[in-house]
Amino acid sequence: MKKRTFIKTGAILSAGTLLSPILACKQDTSQTNAATKETVEAKPTGPFSLPALAFGLDALVPNIDAKTMEIHHGKHHAGYVRKLNAALDKSQIKDTSLVQIVSSISDSDEDVAIRNNGGGHYNHSLFWEVMKPGGGSMPSGVLKEAITSTFGSLEKFQERFSKAAKTRFGSGWAWLSVDKSGKLFVSSTPNQDNPLMTQVVDQPGTPILGIDVWEHAYYLNYQNRRGDYVKNFFNVINWEAVAERLSKVG
Ligand code: MN3
């Protein structure tokens, strides 16, 4: 829609130039400004783009409903990507590694747009990857050993993770991450922060599993029952993806 508007504006500008050079000159300034503004707003690409889902919108039903997936991925996540690209466009940041960008975020006001939208893009990209239809079978191998040696048992890990998700006040995320000594830990962060943000979180690390506990992630299906959503999230965890993330840390 916006792209089309921009093309139209460009066409009007060209027509004006042909019809009357003087008028076009006068109009040029305002229309160039308008066109420039539209270009920024309509910019369909930047360093980042919305990743496609590996499964259908209804694939996680009944644990996560199709409408929630549609809005969450197509509107919320797409919005973070768009705003991140716009924020980077105005910033001095030349880095195109999302992990580098997110890891470098500070507490300063200047970083707010990149903190919220870079975090939003990173977090949601991870979120879609650590879920799958028919998921939820228990982890195995190295990941299982790491979880049981850290938390005592898989059940105790689930309790700890669920508590972090349920008790996060307001909007945010709960995480299973790996610290720099290679040890697993559970934490939660507000808004779109995550454990990669070394300068802003209490417990820095590399997240390997995360659950979005913003109301937009569950409210259509669960309303205020965040606990039920968190419980059912365990039916769709893609443990192979979590294990793969663990294997890449370090
Ligand atoms: Mn979300």
Side-chain angles (χ1 to χ4, degrees):
M1 190 67 170
K2 282 181 178 168
K3 192 180 177 189
R4 215 173 280 161
T5 311
F6 170 58
I7 291 164
K8 202 176 156 192
T9 309
I12 291 166
L13 189 60
S14 306
T17 311
L18 285 172
L19 289 172
S20 162
I22 297 167
L23 187 64
C25 245
K26 277 187 175 173
Q27 284 184 340
D28 234 342
T29 319
S30 61
Q31 291 205 353
T32 303
N33 286 345
T36 306
K37 187 165 179 271
E38 190 63 32
T39 308
V40 171
E41 285 177 2
K43 198 173 182 181
T45 56
F48 298 106
S49 56
L50 182 67
L53 291 171
F55 43 81
L57 294 173
D58 60 353
L60 304 179
V61 172
N63 304 289
I64 300 180
D65 65 286
K67 194 71 186 170
T68 295
M69 286 300 297
E70 181 189 339
I71 298 169
H72 201 175
H73 179 259
K75 303 288 183 194
H76 290 278
H77 189 174
Y80 296 124
V81 173
R82 191 178 65 247
K83 290 173 194 168
L84 172 62
N85 283 334
L88 288 171
D89 203 35
K90 290 179 201 157
S91 80
Q92 302 301 311
I93 298 171
K94 299 287 174 241
D95 208 323
T96 51
S97 154
L98 185 58
V99 170
Q100 286 299 324
I101 290 170
V102 170
S103 304
S104 312
I105 283 164
S106 76
D107 223 349
S108 80
D109 290 346
E110 287 154 32
D111 279 357
V112 168
I114 291 170
R115 178 175 177 175
N116 290 338
N117 296 296
H121 180 34
Y122 180 90
N123 297 349
H124 288 84
S125 301
L126 179 148
F127 189 49
W128 313 132
E129 277 184 30
V130 297
M131 293 190 291
K132 70 169 190 180
S137 55
M138 286 297 171
S140 56
V142 173
L143 176 60
K144 182 183 177 183
E145 281 170 32
I147 288 177
T148 51
S149 71
T150 307
F151 302 101
S153 66
L154 293 170
E155 291 72 24
K156 282 183 179 158
F157 157 69
Q158 184 166 345
E159 265 172 43
R160 185 85 70 88
F161 185 85
S162 301
K163 189 179 175 194
K166 288 189 276 190
T167 58
R168 161 52 50 194
F169 183 75
S171 299
W173 293 73
W175 305 102
L176 172 65
S177 307
V178 187
D179 72 15
K180 62 180 178 187
S181 69
K183 197 169 161 54
L184 294 179
F185 67 95
V186 164
S187 67
S188 85
T189 53
N191 306 315
Q192 296 297 352
D193 288 354
N194 69 48
L196 285 177
M197 299 178 185
T198 312
Q199 298 172 66
V200 305
V201 295
D202 296 334
Q203 292 175 281
T206 303
I208 58 171
L209 173 68
I211 180 172
D212 186 343
V213 295
W214 284 57
E215 284 187 346
H216 68 226
Y218 62 88
Y219 209 85
L220 291 180
N221 198 21
Y222 294 94
Q223 292 82 48
N224 60 328
R225 292 173 286 115
R226 187 193 284 188
D228 290 348
Y229 159 68
V230 172
K231 181 167 170 268
N232 290 346
F233 173 71
F234 276 83
N235 295 331
V236 293
I237 294 178
N238 182 347
W239 286 112
E240 293 80 12
V242 181
E244 188 168 339
R245 283 182 172 268
L246 175 63
S247 73
K248 286 179 182 167
V249 175

